[in-house]
């Protein structure tokens, strides 16, 4: 019998824009330039799955692919602090906080990006849009770097730091 995480999941929509599903974007790395995955039907290695953490089906999917329930609870929780946790077997959790640049929100109401490296793939989870992630998605769509999951992880960190730097520089020169 096929492991649960390899089975097709009915709650993963074919079109990422339809019905507001929890997987917002997915990319396959490792064979030349990364390519966008239009239909996610299995948890594969060398992929990036960008998810919206407040959508139905996400917790079940995370459990189906083998992530421990205590970690699933942490990933979908509302309040988190910046955090690193070694999950064993080369897997890890990294929670980063960034400047909230969404309209009608306060910048000091920081937003979190939860990053899980699990079984040779990256899963990112967010509730509100992250400008830095959108920048990385545009780079990938244009065929630019990052070319590997390691470069992708560094890009997340660089983008969050860049957003904070820009915010602080504007504050310093306008106050």
């Amino acid at each position: 019998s096929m492991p649960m995480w390899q089975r097709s999941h009915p709650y993963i929509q074919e079109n990422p824009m339809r019905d507001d599903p929890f997987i917002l974007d997915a990319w396959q790395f490792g064979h030349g330039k990364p390519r966008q995955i239009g239909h996610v039907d299995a948890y594969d290695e060398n992929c990036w799955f960008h998810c919206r953490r407040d959508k139905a089906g996400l917790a079940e999917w995370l459990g189906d692919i083998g992530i421990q329930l205590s970690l699933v609870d942490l990933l979908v929780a509302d309040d988190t602090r910046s955090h690193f946790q070694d999950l064993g077997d080369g897997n890890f959790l990294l929670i980063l906080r960034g400047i909230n640049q969404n309209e009608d929100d306060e910048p000091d109401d920081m937003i979190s990006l939860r990053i899980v490296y699990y079984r040779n793939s990256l899963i990112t989870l967010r509730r509100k849009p992250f400008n830095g992630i959108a920048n990385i998605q545009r780079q990938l769509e244009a065929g630019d770097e990052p070319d590997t999951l390691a470069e992708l992880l560094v890009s997340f960190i660089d983008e969050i730091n860049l957003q904070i730097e820009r915010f602080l520089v504007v504050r310093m020169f306008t106050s």
Side-chain angles (χ1 to χ4, degrees), residues 45 66 68 84-93 117-121:
E45 291 190 354
Q68 296 173 346
F84 175 82
Q85 185 175 342
D86 184 343
L87 303 174
D89 297 323
N91 303 313
F92 62 84
L93 164 68
Y117 183 74
Y118 183 70
R119 290 202 339 243
N120 301 315
S121 282

Side-chain angles (χ1 to χ4, degrees), residues 56-147:
L58 175 65
E60 293 85 353
W61 180 70
L62 292 169
D64 286 351
I65 64 175
I67 293 180
Q68 296 173 346
L69 187 58
S70 59
L71 181 57
V72 171
D73 289 343
L74 181 62
L75 291 172
V76 299
D78 282 332
D79 276 337
T80 56
R81 293 193 171 111
S82 297
H83 179 76
F84 175 82
Q85 185 175 342
D86 184 343
L87 303 174
D89 297 323
N91 303 313
F92 62 84
L93 164 68
L94 178 62
I95 299 177
L96 302 174
R97 309 270 298 165
I99 298 288
N100 187 343
Q101 296 179 320
N102 293 305
E103 218 172 292
D104 300 326
D105 285 341
E106 292 297 320
D108 58 348
D109 181 20
M110 296 185 84
I111 52 180
S112 72
L113 179 67
R114 295 117 198 259
I115 302 167
V116 179
Y117 183 74
Y118 183 70
R119 290 202 339 243
N120 301 315
S121 282
L122 279 171
I123 304 168
T124 53
L125 303 100
R126 60 90 167 159
R127 187 169 61 88
K128 294 185 176 190
F130 236 110
N131 287 350
I133 295 290
N135 291 342
I136 293 167
Q137 288 169 311
R138 281 191 291 276
Q139 289 170 342
L140 287 169
E141 288 165 3
D144 296 335
E145 293 182 342
D147 289 328

Side-chain angles (χ1 to χ4, degrees), residues 7 11 18 20 39 53 56 60 63 65 74 85-86 92 109 124 126 144 153 159 161 167 169:
R7 295 184 198 152
Y11 42 76
R18 188 178 64 220
D20 214 13
H39 177 74
R53 69 176 174 82
E60 293 85 353
I65 64 175
L74 181 62
Q85 185 175 342
D86 184 343
F92 62 84
D109 181 20
T124 53
R126 60 90 167 159
D144 296 335
L153 178 60
E159 280 291 333
N161 287 335
F167 176 79
V169 166

